[in-house]
Amino acid sequence: MKKIVVTGGAGFIGSNFVRMLLRKRSAAKVIVLDKLTYAGNLDNLAGLNKDKRFKFVKGDICNAKLLADILPGADIIYNFAAETHVDRSILEAGSFVKTDVVGTYTLLQKTLEYKVPRFLQVSTDEVYGSILKGSFRETDPIKPNSPYSASKAGADMLVRAFYKTYGLPALITRSSNNYGPFQHPEKFIPLFTTNAIEGMPLPLYGDGKNVRDWIYVEDNCRAIDLVGRKGKIGEVYNIGAGDEKTNVYIARKIMELTGADPSLLTLVSDRPGHDRRYSVATRKIKALGWSNKTAFDEGLKKTVRWYRQNENWWRPVRDGSFRKYYRKMYTGRLKEGRKL
Ligand code: NAD
Ligand code: TYD
């Protein structure tokens, strides 16, 4: 039986990935290592502990001693664990450097020590920075602009260095923005969906015309799985659906789908260093046999339906510390905001 270690498996993409693995690979044992930060949530893995092939360990990827218990005998490690929200990285960058850079370094060091034969680093298209025309290829230089993307870029550089210097059998995926079930309501699509359901204002940064290439989370999970099995060691693979949308387009779609009052849409002061557009060339992942399955409008419909049907999942997440964060992030901005 294959032993698969998934760090950050109680987060958004990680939990979708773990569910997919257990569904598709009958001969796999999946161990999730997750610190359960504010973004980690055992509800994301609800029901899986009935499966004998699944094990959850609460812990930090910076904890080398704990890694010594978990990594020996692993066939592959998928590193999803990270601090992930750009806005939070602007408020406080230290935890991003700690987990995304030092945590990845600790994992790499232990992967080497225990001779784990495959290590997949889950990275992001944000490491390339903004691009106004065309798309970034895997060979393009990385130019991150936020403390989040800089920390992820630091991790990518370490992965590369461990491959080049020690021959560590590593791969990197760089995907575009994901959306779908179980995404924390701090992120754009779930924030706007849950605010719309609540009848709260939808705070659009800047002019609302920033562009992201949105990929439905299950399509990204299939691509990561494919790279994990068939990808060439030492290589980077971009992953994107080619579904570029402006934020204002998505906000309007969400209002349509939820039946929210259009006057909720509010232009607020921009995010500092806000990347205008992300876009990646995906020839390489397609050559490996992947193609995107979910068109954006269809995926958004499914996602909004999921949030409507799973209020018991997101209501507790929007409580407590999230309210404090929300006030800090949005109250002043919304007061000075203007209707579109
Ligand atoms: P998320 O914030 O939903 O989940 C992150 C998970 O990591 C949480 O469960 C958290 O508890 C865990 N974690 C944080 N610090 C940890 C630590 N020190 N040790 C162990 N666990 C820790 O994030 P996500 O959106 O699921 O993203 C997963 C990965 O995919 C990240 O590496 C992110 O950079 C990358 N990524 C995300 C997107 C996106 O659009 N969400 C796009 C491209 C790449
Ligand atoms: P986000 O989900 O934070 O992802 P990222 O910044 O990593 O791409 O944001 C997606 C886009 O939505 C980005 O252009 C910023 C914008 N946005 C808003 O306009 N308002 C918001 O409240 C948030 C959270 C994001």
Side-chain angles (χ1 to χ4, degrees):
M1 206 172 223
K2 274 209 183 311
K3 176 175 168 182
I4 301 176
V5 175
V6 179
T7 71
F12 162 48
I13 309 176
S15 62
N16 276 285
F17 184 71
V18 166
R19 245 177 281 115
M20 184 203 73
L21 277 184
L22 290 169
R23 213 170 42 235
K24 283 186 16 180
R25 313 240 165 288
S26 52
K29 188 172 180 236
V30 179
I31 300 167
V32 168
L33 170 64
D34 197 294
K35 189 180 173 184
L36 295 181
T37 66
Y38 79 93
N41 186 349
L42 284 179
D43 288 350
N44 296 359
L45 299 165
L48 294 188
N49 50 10
K50 281 187 225 131
D51 192 326
K52 286 201 180 76
R53 299 168 301 148
F54 172 77
K55 188 176 168 197
F56 179 81
V57 179
K58 182 175 182 228
D60 192 326
I61 57 166
C62 299
N63 183 343
K65 271 200 192 129
L66 180 61
L67 296 180
D69 292 337
I70 295 171
L71 301 194
D75 292 286
I76 184 164
I77 300 165
Y78 292 91
N79 183 27
F80 287 88
E83 288 293 339
T84 61
H85 193 33
V86 173
D87 289 326
R88 289 191 194 250
S89 80
I90 295 167
L91 295 174
E92 185 275 317
S95 56
F96 288 73
V97 175
K98 209 161 169 212
T99 287
D100 302 10
V101 184
V102 180
T104 302
Y105 157 73
T106 312
L107 267 177
L108 290 169
Q109 195 60 43
K110 289 291 151 189
T111 300
L112 200 61
E113 202 174 316
Y114 296 113
K115 300 188 170 53
V116 178
R118 236 164 148 81
F119 179 95
L120 190 148
Q121 173 68 6
V122 179
S123 185
T124 162
D125 64 352
E126 299 191 27
V127 298
Y128 295 115
S130 190
I131 187 166
L132 294 182
K133 277 201 184 116
S135 305
F136 286 119
R137 291 184 308 173
E138 289 85 350
T139 46
D140 283 327
I142 56 180
K143 292 183 179 173
N145 296 316
S146 73
Y148 161 64
S149 53
S151 305
K152 293 294 292 186
D156 282 16
M157 295 287 89
L158 284 168
V159 173
R160 177 190 158 90
F162 269 65
Y163 164 68
K164 290 275 182 189
T165 308
Y166 309 113
L168 186 109
L171 304 127
I172 296 177
T173 59
R174 292 188 182 141
S175 97
S176 62
N177 285 62
N178 285 228
Y179 68 102
F182 298 104
Q183 187 168 30
H184 194 286
E186 68 188 357
K187 303 278 168 43
F188 177 58
I189 289 181
L191 179 78
F192 275 39
T193 304
T194 52
N195 275 17
I197 294 172
E198 297 267 61
M200 288 166 67
L202 309 185
L204 257 186
Y205 295 159
D207 63 2
K209 291 184 185 154
N210 297 64
V211 172
R212 301 288 184 265
D213 168 9
W214 293 92
I215 184 167
Y216 192 63
V217 63
E218 285 174 10
D219 288 318
N220 185 28
C221 288
R222 275 193 300 108
I224 293 172
D225 177 44
L226 182 65
V227 174
R229 288 180 296 115
K230 304 248 176 81
K232 189 164 167 240
I233 293 296
E235 297 283 317
V236 175
Y237 293 85
N238 289 342
I239 303 169
D243 248 333
E244 293 188 21
K245 299 283 179 271
T246 60
N247 294 337
V248 65
Y249 170 89
I250 296 173
R252 291 208 163 106
K253 276 272 164 209
I254 291 174
M255 288 191 307
E256 241 174 73
L257 291 167
T258 54
D261 179 347
S263 72
L264 291 175
L265 198 53
T266 312
L267 287 180
V268 299
S269 61
D270 208 353
R271 170 190 280 174
H274 194 176
D275 285 331
R276 192 65 174 168
R277 175 174 172 263
Y278 295 137
S279 181
V280 281
T282 52
R283 220 170 304 152
K284 202 165 161 182
I285 185 75
K286 283 176 182 149
L288 209 60
W290 177 85
S291 63
N292 189 61
K293 285 197 176 146
T294 317
F296 181 76
D297 286 3
E298 177 202 338
L300 187 67
K301 237 186 236 167
K302 283 208 274 193
T303 303
V304 170
R305 195 185 315 132
W306 188 86
Y307 280 87
R308 273 183 174 292
Q309 291 172 348
N310 288 278
E311 292 200 7
N312 58 343
W313 179 84
W314 59 260
R315 286 207 182 273
V317 181
R318 279 176 62 109
D319 254 2
S321 67
F322 182 73
R323 283 184 196 226
K324 205 166 146 204
Y325 163 77
Y326 190 87
R327 274 198 297 276
K328 190 168 180 179
M329 207 54 220
Y330 295 104
T331 305
R333 270 179 153 144
L334 282 165
K335 259 191 207 139
E336 287 164 14
R338 60 187 177 84
K339 300 293 162 207
L340 197 65

